[in-house]
Amino acid sequence: MDSTPNRLSLQPLLFDRQDLCGCFFLEPTPKEVEFLRYWQALVALVPTRLSRPAGGRTGRRGYSLMDILAVRAVLLFFRLDTVTAAVALLQSSPNLRTVTQLGRVPSPSSVSRRTSRLLEEMDFRGIHDRLCRQFYAGRTVCHLSLDSTPVDAREKPAVRAKRQKGRRGRPKAGSAEEKAVQERKGQEARLVQLRDSGDPHAYLATLEQRCTVTGKRNSRGHMQWRVGYKVHLAVDDSGIPVASAVTGACVHDTQPAIPLLRIAAGRCTWLYALMDGGYSSGAIRDRVLAMGRVPLIDFKADRNGAKEEMDPAGRARYRARTTVERTNSELKECFLPKALYGRGPRARFDLRLAVLLLTVKRMGKVLEARQQAARKKSA
């Protein structure tokens, strides 16, 4: 029973500053009040089993996974570079220790050791799914905007295996080259079937997850190279992430697009899919139409910079896609440092936790606006 997540509650996001001041040891700063709101909402979402202290019946009481989660939440919310900096902030702030209920602040080595266990217990997929299903119950999302943003990491990029070039022309019948080609085509067909009709999360797991290198040509025509990861988001008109995926930076935007659309369709009812020219793909367009929705994908420019224009109605509706760009900026400016110092699974954990915190924040903004509108209407 205690492994069941708590009931959805975003009520702490609607409290006033005066209502929350009694939760602090000293006079809180606006940043500490904001962290309290997000932390209380996060505690209501995670399984209660994370609060169990580690260790046996005898001996020193160990740190619970909730204590480790508190350190990592402080790390992201205050945009600190390392776990050591987050531990130092908690040790110097009585208010943060009171909010997170940390009697003893774990050392950086304890956080690193227990994070491995937290990675196994933290179910971001289930939390996000339950959060969206309850929030969008009885509501319809007009525009679902897709985009991705790269996140730099202080990590050595993985070396991807290069595909060996075969001989030109058709391989000889019965040869090893023909068997390899047939095997590769069969694997690609299975991946396409998994992407279109299988488990979307299983398909996302087949994409590159490691830290990799990606390049993009800027407005001046020069290539800019970045090392790290990429966060793919599908957001609604209010900037709430409905579906998300974390991959290596080398993954193209079109690869997780269809799984994200399918995941979002299971969490809410949306009508239009808005994507830029990087998502220009017939498979994506056909899949959106097969789902009974309307795709609005910008056309990709040719080598000369010329591209086909949308019709006036589609161009006017396409302007709503700027929401996902603002969401990407908010994710980096509010919940992520300039570069991730965690490596591998820890870096991806921090990115998923940052997306969850952003989801809670944007939902709180919507609920707050509805509460104010209800007050004006009743007055």
Side-chain angles (χ1 to χ4, degrees):
M1 293 295 293
D2 54 356
S3 63
T4 304
N6 299 331
R7 186 174 58 87
L8 172 64
S9 176
L10 296 178
Q11 187 62 29
L13 297 172
L14 301 177
F15 289 162
D16 295 331
R17 179 185 175 90
Q18 296 178 355
D19 299 330
L20 297 173
C21 286
C23 303
F24 295 94
F25 183 79
L26 301 174
E27 179 64 23
T29 63
K31 194 74 173 177
E32 292 173 342
V33 174
E34 187 179 4
F35 176 76
L36 172 63
R37 292 174 174 174
Y38 300 153
W39 175 249
Q40 289 186 347
L42 186 61
V43 169
L45 296 173
V46 300
T48 55
R49 66 174 181 271
L50 299 185
S51 301
R52 294 176 182 173
R57 296 181 179 179
T58 60
R60 185 179 179 183
R61 176 184 176 273
Y63 299 105
S64 66
L65 295 181
M66 190 65 71
D67 298 337
I68 308 303
L69 181 62
V71 177
R72 305 208 75 93
V74 169
L75 170 71
L76 295 177
F77 182 79
F78 292 93
R79 302 187 65 199
L80 304 175
D81 294 331
T82 61
V83 174
T84 303
V87 170
L89 178 60
L90 282 167
Q91 291 175 343
S92 63
S93 175
N95 281 342
L96 291 180
R97 293 198 303 271
T98 303
V99 168
T100 56
Q101 298 181 358
L102 283 175
R104 295 181 298 116
V105 180
S107 63
S109 59
S110 298
V111 174
S112 178
R113 183 171 59 255
R114 293 287 288 164
T115 298
S116 301
R117 181 64 177 174
L118 183 61
L119 297 178
E120 302 174 359
E121 296 293 336
M122 195 70 176
D123 183 17
F124 287 106
R125 182 203 311 177
I127 294 174
H128 202 167
D129 184 77
R130 185 170 56 91
L131 190 64
C132 290
R133 286 179 184 272
Q134 296 189 38
F135 184 83
Y136 292 110
R139 301 188 180 99
T140 301
V141 175
C142 186
H143 303 111
L144 188 73
S145 303
L146 273 69
D147 199 7
S148 67
T149 180
V151 180
D152 297 331
R154 297 289 296 270
E155 183 180 354
K156 184 177 180 180
V159 179
R160 303 176 61 195
K162 295 183 179 179
R163 179 186 297 180
Q164 296 181 355
K165 295 183 179 180
R167 298 179 181 179
R168 297 182 61 182
R170 180 181 299 177
K172 184 178 179 180
S175 63
E177 291 82 1
E178 185 186 32
K179 294 181 180 179
V181 171
Q182 295 297 331
E183 183 178 356
R184 187 176 68 251
K185 290 183 178 180
Q187 179 66 18
E188 292 175 354
R190 287 190 292 270
L191 288 177
V192 171
Q193 183 179 4
L194 181 63
R195 180 197 66 187
D196 294 340
S197 59
D199 184 5
H201 298 283
Y203 176 80
L204 292 175
T206 63
L207 302 178
E208 180 63 72
Q209 303 291 321
R210 300 172 298 175
C211 175
T212 51
V213 181
T214 184
K216 186 176 182 180
R217 196 175 302 277
N218 58 17
S219 58
R220 296 184 178 181
H222 302 297
M223 290 295 296
Q224 291 181 338
W225 301 96
R226 305 183 69 170
V227 177
Y229 300 87
K230 185 178 287 187
V231 179
H232 306 263
L233 295 179
V235 306
D236 67 355
D237 293 314
S238 300
I240 300 175
V242 182
S244 64
V246 177
T247 65
C250 64
V251 175
H252 196 268
D253 293 352
T254 56
Q255 291 182 270
I258 293 179
L260 289 179
L261 292 171
R262 295 179 58 205
I263 294 173
R267 295 175 177 175
C268 68
T269 301
W270 52 272
L271 305 179
Y272 294 87
L274 278 55
M275 290 163 271
D276 60 13
Y279 294 85
S280 181
S281 169
I284 297 177
R285 191 181 301 273
D286 295 341
R287 184 59 188 175
V288 175
L289 292 174
M291 297 171 68
R293 274 76 169 183
V294 180
L296 288 177
I297 306 175
D298 194 11
F299 297 97
K300 194 173 183 180
D302 57 14
R303 294 182 178 181
N304 299 324
K307 67 175 182 178
E308 186 178 350
E309 295 293 337
M310 291 185 178
D311 58 273
R315 186 165 59 250
R317 190 176 292 277
Y318 181 77
R319 297 194 187 104
R321 203 199 68 87
T322 56
T323 304
V324 68
E325 297 177 355
R326 294 193 298 270
T327 302
N328 288 333
S329 299
E330 189 175 12
L331 176 66
K332 290 184 174 181
E333 294 175 0
C334 298
F335 299 108
L336 289 176
K338 294 183 179 179
L340 296 174
Y341 278 69
R343 299 179 180 179
R346 286 173 171 81
R348 294 191 292 271
F349 177 88
D350 290 340
L351 291 175
R352 294 187 178 98
L353 181 57
V355 173
L356 180 59
L357 290 173
L358 177 63
T359 304
V360 171
K361 177 181 179 180
R362 297 311 309 169
M363 286 185 176
K365 295 291 185 181
V366 174
L367 294 177
E368 193 174 275
R370 291 174 181 170
Q371 186 183 61
Q372 292 178 358
R375 289 177 179 175
K376 291 181 180 179
K377 185 176 181 180
S378 60

